[in-house]
Amino acid sequence: MLDFLYVGIGQCGNKFVDAFAKNKNVKAVAINTTQKDMNCLQHINAQNLIAIPASGTKGGAGKDIGTGKHAMQEHIEDVIGRLKNLGNNADYIFLWAGLGGGTGSGGLPVLLDKVRTAMPEKKLVIGLTLPDYSEDLKVQTNAFNAFLEAAKLCEGMKVPFILVDNNKIKTKIEQVNACDWNVVTRNIGSDITKFFKVANQDSPYSTFDEGDLRNSMSRPGMMTIIKTELPVNEIQNENSLRDAILADWKDNFYVDFNTADADSLVFVVEAPDRYLKNSSNKKLLDSSLEKLKGISEHLMYQYTAFYPYNPDKNDSRDGKVIVYSMMAGLKGMNEQLHAMFAEAKKRSDAMKEKLNASKIDFDSFNFIDEDFDSDTSTGTKTSGLAPIEEVDGGHNRFGF
């Protein structure tokens, strides 16, 4: 079985990894410049909270990317030592950070570079949460700079990125009152960790082994893991499940992507054992998923694995067919960099325009003639407007 170590950097990264840690047997680490934020985490073992306060601060990076970078640099040997100990048996190290603040934006590239050189035997996955466009110029600039630096570090490496789009989360929250940030974070974390957990299991039907999983995650670019669930009685024909999966591929919280760009596609299917034992049901699921395998002519790897379960009253799967679809090699990264650059530049240009509009135009006061600009009592020149009481015996030149 492949083993994963999940590492969250900064407040947002900590929250995502804390959601991962809610699942059993998940090893998770939180790294932050402020201890009090980590104290609010609910599922990560207290021994796995790594504080990296920057010297000269009272804790926290305060959206300052330089402070976050400096803090990680100061503590990097201790951090790597802790990760080597905790992730000794890990095949993959999953780094997650929110881009826009100081600790995640500044600390991620430093840690990524160090892990790559100090732990070269470990495979890497990068998870990034991108800020929504309502956040300020500082956040947009931090996010672009950190994303660009991380992308440069991973260029040429087979490191997939998972990109969560806060614009989509915000839109969904505004549309559905029952949805909030914590629910979204928890669901994404659960879907990702359950995908890896299920994929690592044995099955009497069909599985894909560790080598298959490594292959499917070896493609550089953007990766998504999307969960679709459907009651068995709603799978009436081969289009039923296909259409549900297509709808979830379109409506999710990842950065927009074109499915035709994928060069790796994996379906991990959970279904009630009694349902799978019926050969016609299994054939129906197979044909439904086969229809989706033509999404890209560039596929290098494609796998389908079926895992049975026996539902009971305490099983949250509730007798449903659940499909985790993972696509890798997507091209969302380049487009997202351009979009983030455009947003940061737009904010920067608007700020420059505002500052220029606030400046005093001293040249507009050049109309003042020498007579108006002189001290009448001494005959010496003064700068600016002469005091009113000293001009023409207390009356200014305009008669009031």
Side-chain angles (χ1 to χ4, degrees):
M1 291 181 62
L2 293 179
D3 190 57
F4 290 78
L5 174 65
Y6 298 92
V7 182
I9 309 153
Q11 187 176 46
C12 179
N14 287 178
K15 288 183 178 180
F16 262 93
V17 172
D18 194 49
F20 296 170
K22 185 178 180 181
N23 295 280
K24 292 182 179 179
N25 301 319
V26 169
K27 289 185 291 186
V29 177
I31 304 171
N32 209 340
T33 50
T34 174
Q35 181 70 45
K36 67 178 182 179
D37 286 344
M38 291 191 293
N39 291 341
C40 298
L41 302 175
Q42 298 178 346
H43 307 292
I44 299 178
N45 191 308
Q47 295 179 339
N48 296 348
L49 306 180
I50 305 176
I52 54 167
S55 59
T57 71
K58 294 184 178 180
K63 295 186 181 180
D64 190 310
I65 195 170
T67 300
K69 183 175 184 178
H70 179 59
M72 186 64 76
Q73 288 171 334
E74 281 189 299
H75 301 275
I76 192 63
E77 295 304 329
D78 176 55
V79 170
I80 289 295
R82 298 278 294 277
L83 295 187
K84 283 183 175 181
N85 182 50
L86 293 167
N88 181 51
N89 296 320
D91 300 286
Y92 280 83
I93 295 182
F94 202 133
L95 303 177
W96 198 294
L99 300 187
T103 305
S105 297
L108 172 67
V110 176
L111 183 57
L112 173 59
D113 189 36
K114 188 66 176 180
V115 168
R116 183 181 62 168
T117 57
M119 305 170 72
E121 74 284 3
K122 306 297 184 185
K123 297 292 185 180
L124 292 170
V125 182
I126 309 299
L128 303 174
T129 305
L130 307 180
D132 69 79
Y133 291 149
S134 69
E135 298 192 69
D136 59 40
L137 172 60
K138 185 74 171 177
V139 169
Q140 306 299 333
T141 304
N142 283 350
F144 171 76
N145 288 333
F147 190 23
L148 182 62
E149 189 171 356
K152 285 180 179 178
L153 285 170
C154 291
E155 186 175 3
M157 298 173 61
K158 294 180 178 181
V159 177
F161 283 78
I162 292 180
L163 304 178
V164 173
D165 186 355
N166 271 353
N167 286 297
K168 288 187 173 182
I169 297 176
K170 182 181 179 183
T171 300
K172 179 69 72 174
I173 289 174
E174 291 173 347
Q175 293 173 345
V176 184
N177 291 332
C179 176
D180 61 38
W181 293 93
N182 291 330
V183 170
V184 172
T185 300
R186 187 164 60 248
N187 288 344
I188 293 174
S190 176
D191 293 349
I192 291 173
T193 51
K194 284 185 177 179
F195 166 81
F196 291 123
K197 180 180 179 181
V198 174
N200 268 313
Q201 294 177 351
D202 294 327
S203 170
Y205 296 97
S206 59
T207 64
F208 62 108
D209 59 28
E210 294 179 8
D212 297 333
L213 184 55
R214 286 181 185 274
N215 286 337
S216 64
M217 293 174 59
S218 68
R219 311 308 303 158
M222 191 169 80
M223 181 174 80
T224 64
I225 297 175
I226 297 173
K227 177 183 176 182
T228 300
E229 53 184 14
L230 204 62
V232 294
N233 60 1
E234 292 185 19
I235 305 177
Q236 301 295 327
N237 53 59
E238 62 183 14
N239 291 332
S240 302
L241 183 59
R242 181 204 65 175
D243 291 346
I245 292 173
L246 286 173
D248 287 331
W249 283 358
K250 184 177 181 181
D251 182 21
N252 55 75
F253 297 117
Y254 298 105
V255 167
D256 289 336
F257 57 89
N258 183 357
T259 55
D261 292 333
D263 53 26
S264 177
L265 175 63
V266 174
F267 292 115
V268 170
V269 183
E270 289 186 287
D273 191 26
R274 186 173 61 180
Y275 181 83
L276 286 177
K277 283 180 177 177
N278 185 317
S279 59
S280 61
N281 291 337
K282 173 72 161 45
K283 183 178 180 180
L284 181 60
L285 295 182
D286 268 324
S287 59
S288 297
L289 299 176
E290 196 65 33
K291 282 177 168 286
L292 294 168
K293 291 182 180 178
I295 61 169
S296 173
E297 60 185 22
H298 310 294
L299 286 177
M300 292 184 63
Y301 302 106
Q302 53 178 317
Y303 304 99
T304 301
F306 290 89
Y307 298 89
Y309 69 92
N310 293 306
D312 59 43
K313 62 181 180 179
N314 297 318
D315 196 316
S316 61
R317 289 168 291 192
D318 196 27
K320 296 177 181 178
V321 169
I322 299 172
V323 179
Y324 296 94
S325 49
M326 188 195 82
M327 284 172 278
L330 299 168
K331 297 179 181 178
M333 189 189 305
N334 191 46
E335 289 82 353
Q336 190 61 34
L337 275 170
H338 283 286
M340 292 167 70
F341 175 78
E343 184 64 27
K345 188 176 186 304
K346 182 179 75 174
R347 296 292 188 89
S348 179
D349 290 344
M351 180 61 71
K352 289 177 182 177
E353 184 177 343
K354 180 180 183 298
L355 291 174
N356 286 332
S358 302
K359 289 181 179 178
I360 300 173
D361 182 8
F362 292 102
D363 290 339
S364 65
F365 298 104
N366 286 339
F367 71 91
I368 302 172
D369 59 30
E370 291 192 7
D371 180 59
F372 186 78
D373 196 35
S374 62
D375 187 327
T376 56
S377 63
T378 64
T380 59
K381 295 194 67 174
T382 61
S383 60
L385 297 176
I388 290 179
E389 65 273 13
E390 296 179 4
V391 179
D392 268 348
H395 298 285
N396 67 38
R397 61 189 285 113
F398 300 109
F400 53 86

